[in-house]
Amino acid sequence: FSCYPDYDFPQKICVTRKIKGKWMLPTIVPFSGDYQEGGPVLANQGKRMYFYSKRPLNEGGKAQLKSDIWYVDWEGKKWNKPLHTGSVINSEVSEGFLYPGKNGSLFFTRMFSADSALLMQTDIIKNEFQEPVVIKNIGDTLSFKDPVPINGEDYFIYTKNTKHGKSYYASLLISYRNEDGSWTTPKEMGDMINYGEGRFPSFSPDGDFLFFVSYRTGGAKFFWVDSGIIEYLRTNDLNLISRMTSIISDYGVEKGKEKYAEFMTEYKDYYRFDEKLLSGAGLNLLNFGKEKEALEVFLYNQKLYPDISLVYEDLGDFFQSQGDKESALENFQKFLDIEPENKRVQDKFLLLSR
């Protein structure tokens, strides 16, 4: 996996091992460490690793300003010397974010700028890379920042970055291949994955689990879901925060409560129902200027999850925005009773107490 050991640049490739049921501290793989590189993926039953890198084409040269696709093969008990995939795949712009297909194909991203990229496919015949082509109906019509193609034969999963001010918010989208070879319009993979951002998707070797990176608990961490969600999303929508927001906005909070109970039954296999769904809906309603409905949702969330700190932060922020200092401080204090070491809310409490 990609890593920044000790938060030190450039990005490197690391490995960890599970010994006696415990994961060891990550270490840098022997061939990495001197140049910016990452995005490692395994192919050929784990005997080849592809990755993107800015390492020089010639040993001893200067690092490139763009990334190319490289690979190493496993020989004996170690990875051999990294090899460049050549000019057939690599262009004058950066290539990276790879996924090896099941049938001797390699899917990758060609990045023209921070906001413009194409999804490409090359076939590998007798260890020779063929001229890459743009993925039809996706790569020639959509431009995402840092899209990561996953699977490629039956569906694609992307990382889509949406710009918010000076930063980007990442979420995972999925598109399915139709019988005629075209692709469905990409759809969000839902709140369970994209809450707190969703990045860098990958599958377990047996294909049973989808892994991804999220910031939902503060800092980048690995999470996983059952890969059955892939087929489930073909005909179902798990963007329940936006759906709940629309229901409450159009029909009121009581109708929203009814739908919440229905959702808990209908989507119990692929959605973790906790305080985040109603928190997200309440914040959306607040952004839409529906303050009365937002407060009702925040209070209902607090009733359902009285032992969860987030519900009190939402209420504290709401009352503070309304100029109700006493109620804001009361709810921030309830938050700190649950999480006394939380500096974010400590700062809110102290600033409001002045």
Side-chain angles (χ1 to χ4, degrees):
F1 57 92
S2 304
C3 62
Y4 295 93
D6 301 320
Y7 301 98
D8 182 34
F9 285 83
Q11 183 184 50
K12 304 171 179 65
I13 297 174
C14 288
V15 63
T16 183
R17 294 174 174 83
K18 194 174 186 180
I19 299 177
K20 295 182 179 180
K22 183 179 180 180
W23 289 102
M24 300 293 102
L25 288 174
T27 57
I28 303 171
V29 296
F31 61 83
S32 185
D34 294 328
Y35 307 101
Q36 182 171 327
E37 53 199 9
V41 292
L42 296 174
N44 299 358
Q45 291 78 49
K47 294 182 179 180
R48 172 168 291 188
M49 181 193 301
Y50 290 100
F51 60 98
Y52 59 82
S53 177
K54 291 187 176 181
R55 61 177 58 224
L57 298 181
N58 300 312
E59 191 170 347
K62 291 185 177 180
Q64 298 188 87
L65 298 177
K66 68 182 187 74
S67 62
D68 283 350
I69 299 173
W70 294 70
Y71 69 91
V72 290
D73 287 326
W74 183 261
E75 293 184 356
K77 296 183 178 181
K78 65 179 182 178
W79 295 107
N80 64 11
K81 182 179 178 181
L83 297 175
H84 191 251
T85 52
S87 59
V88 173
I89 293 181
N90 298 291
S91 66
E92 70 279 1
V93 298
S94 287
E95 275 77 27
F97 302 101
L98 319 156
Y99 190 81
K102 301 174 183 176
N103 301 315
S105 297
L106 183 66
F107 300 90
F108 64 93
T109 304
R110 178 164 289 168
M111 294 161 284
F112 298 94
S113 70
D115 300 294
S116 178
L118 295 176
L119 297 180
M120 312 290 292
Q121 174 183 349
T122 180
D123 292 326
I124 305 171
I125 301 176
K126 295 182 179 179
N127 210 33
E128 294 288 333
F129 298 98
Q130 308 302 302
E131 188 70 31
V133 296
V134 176
I135 302 298
K136 294 298 181 182
N137 300 325
I138 295 183
D140 54 356
T141 59
L142 301 175
S143 294
F144 294 150
K145 180 180 182 292
D146 298 355
V148 181
I150 295 295
N151 185 280
E153 278 82 10
D154 307 313
Y155 52 84
F156 269 106
I157 298 177
Y158 314 83
T159 301
K160 178 183 179 181
N161 284 262
T162 304
K163 196 167 187 178
H164 293 278
K166 295 183 179 180
S167 59
Y168 286 88
Y169 183 89
S171 56
L172 295 183
L173 281 75
I174 188 167
S175 174
Y176 298 89
R177 186 194 290 272
N178 295 315
E179 291 184 1
D180 63 0
S182 63
W183 294 84
T184 63
T185 301
K187 63 188 292 187
E188 294 268 356
M189 294 193 69
D191 309 327
M192 275 297 294
I193 291 177
N194 290 327
Y195 185 89
E197 297 199 75
R199 293 178 180 268
F200 304 116
S202 62
F203 285 101
S204 59
D206 56 14
D208 289 343
F209 302 100
L210 171 65
F211 295 93
F212 60 96
V213 172
S214 175
Y215 295 82
R216 65 192 62 198
T217 58
K221 296 182 177 67
F222 285 109
F223 293 83
W224 62 269
V225 293
D226 190 302
S227 62
I229 196 172
I230 301 298
E231 193 58 34
Y232 185 82
L233 283 171
R234 189 186 292 270
T235 55
N236 292 277
D237 180 5
L238 287 179
N239 290 302
L240 300 192
I241 291 177
S242 60
R243 291 172 64 184
M244 182 64 67
T245 303
S246 297
I247 291 167
I248 294 173
S249 181
D250 293 341
Y251 303 106
V253 176
E254 291 306 313
K255 185 64 175 179
K257 293 177 181 179
E258 293 177 14
K259 292 302 295 184
Y260 185 80
E262 293 176 15
F263 285 166
M264 290 183 73
T265 299
E266 184 176 356
Y267 300 109
K268 60 182 176 61
D269 292 334
Y270 289 105
Y271 200 98
R272 178 183 175 184
F273 286 88
D274 57 22
E275 74 286 356
K276 297 182 182 66
L277 194 162
L278 291 176
S279 172
L283 293 174
N284 285 344
L285 290 165
L286 197 58
N287 290 333
F288 296 156
K290 293 184 175 290
E291 296 173 350
K292 176 179 178 295
E293 291 85 350
L295 177 57
E296 288 186 58
V297 170
F298 290 146
L299 289 170
Y300 184 58
N301 205 23
Q302 184 268 331
K303 180 180 178 180
L304 292 177
Y305 305 100
D307 299 324
I308 302 299
S309 59
L310 176 64
V311 301
Y312 299 104
E313 184 175 14
D314 284 342
L315 284 167
D317 288 339
F318 176 85
F319 287 123
Q320 183 177 6
S321 71
Q322 303 301 303
D324 188 344
K325 179 178 178 179
E326 183 178 349
S327 296
L329 286 171
E330 178 184 348
N331 280 281
F332 287 148
Q333 182 59 61
K334 289 180 178 178
F335 179 104
L336 292 171
D337 289 342
I338 299 171
E339 287 191 50
E341 303 301 321
N342 189 292
K343 189 175 186 308
R344 182 185 69 254
V345 178
Q346 283 178 355
D347 291 343
K348 289 182 181 182
F349 186 88
L350 292 173
L351 185 62
L352 195 59
S353 299
R354 293 175 181 174

